[in-house]
Amino acid sequence: NESSAFQTFASKDIDTLLDVAGKRESGIFQVEIRQLGGALARQPEDSMAFNCRFANFYLDIMATAPSPDQLEQGKQSLDTIMHTLRPDLTGETLINFLDTDNVGPYLTQAAYTPATYQGLRALKDRYDAKNVFRFNHNIPEPS
């Protein structure tokens, strides 16, 4: 599963998706493109813990397959797509698109601006100092 925000979603990006994900040997893909902006972009930066305010689109791609070999091919195809699209990506991600089983503190922190993460860290210290709510995109004690 890979995802990232885009400022613009050009026809060459669509061509990349169709060229790689559209090939039978690439595996099975779920491709989701969401339009962002609008009301989210108009909110003050400190009003909510949400990044991608200035991105116009969000792309989420998931490779699936009925066998391990096909899944490996799908993962390679997914890597090809993301490598090709990388120049157009903002590098921002949305926390709800991250897999809770495979995400460590670094990716959780990367899903927020530094100021927002520090604000969340302060809330965690105040309301969950014992880290009871840790089975999600956890915000652990600083190392």
Side-chain angles (χ1 to χ4, degrees):
N1 188 24
E2 291 280 344
S3 61
S4 184
F6 275 82
Q7 193 57 37
T8 59
F9 199 65
S11 60
K12 67 181 179 57
D13 300 323
I14 295 169
D15 291 342
T16 296
L17 288 170
L18 293 175
D19 288 347
V20 178
K23 293 180 181 173
R24 187 166 181 78
E25 64 274 6
S26 291
I28 301 168
F29 286 90
Q30 173 183 321
V31 177
E32 183 177 331
I33 302 166
R34 292 187 180 199
Q35 185 175 6
L36 301 177
L40 291 173
R42 292 189 297 270
Q43 299 303 311
E45 182 125 358
D46 61 354
S47 67
M48 62 182 159
F50 178 84
N51 66 353
C52 301
R53 284 178 203 283
F54 305 108
N56 291 313
F57 298 96
Y58 196 81
L59 173 71
D60 184 58
I61 306 173
M62 180 174 39
T64 61
S67 73
D69 290 341
Q70 288 173 315
L71 183 58
E72 187 56 39
Q73 180 61 43
K75 288 179 181 179
Q76 290 173 10
S77 296
L78 195 145
D79 289 344
T80 299
I81 290 169
M82 296 307 285
H83 177 75
T84 304
L85 297 180
R86 188 129 355 257
D88 296 329
L89 303 176
T90 67
E92 294 176 295
T93 189
L94 294 172
I95 194 77
N96 50 326
F97 283 94
L98 297 176
D99 181 359
T100 57
D101 293 333
N102 299 316
V103 174
Y106 172 75
L107 282 178
T108 299
Q109 186 171 354
Y112 299 105
T113 64
T116 299
Y117 189 81
Q118 289 307 314
L120 292 171
R121 174 77 254 145
L123 287 170
K124 181 81 169 184
D125 288 344
R126 182 172 179 185
Y127 294 106
D128 188 25
K130 294 183 180 180
N131 203 23
V132 172
F133 299 103
R134 64 186 176 278
F135 302 108
N136 54 10
H137 301 293
N138 194 25
I139 300 174
E141 288 289 328
S143 319

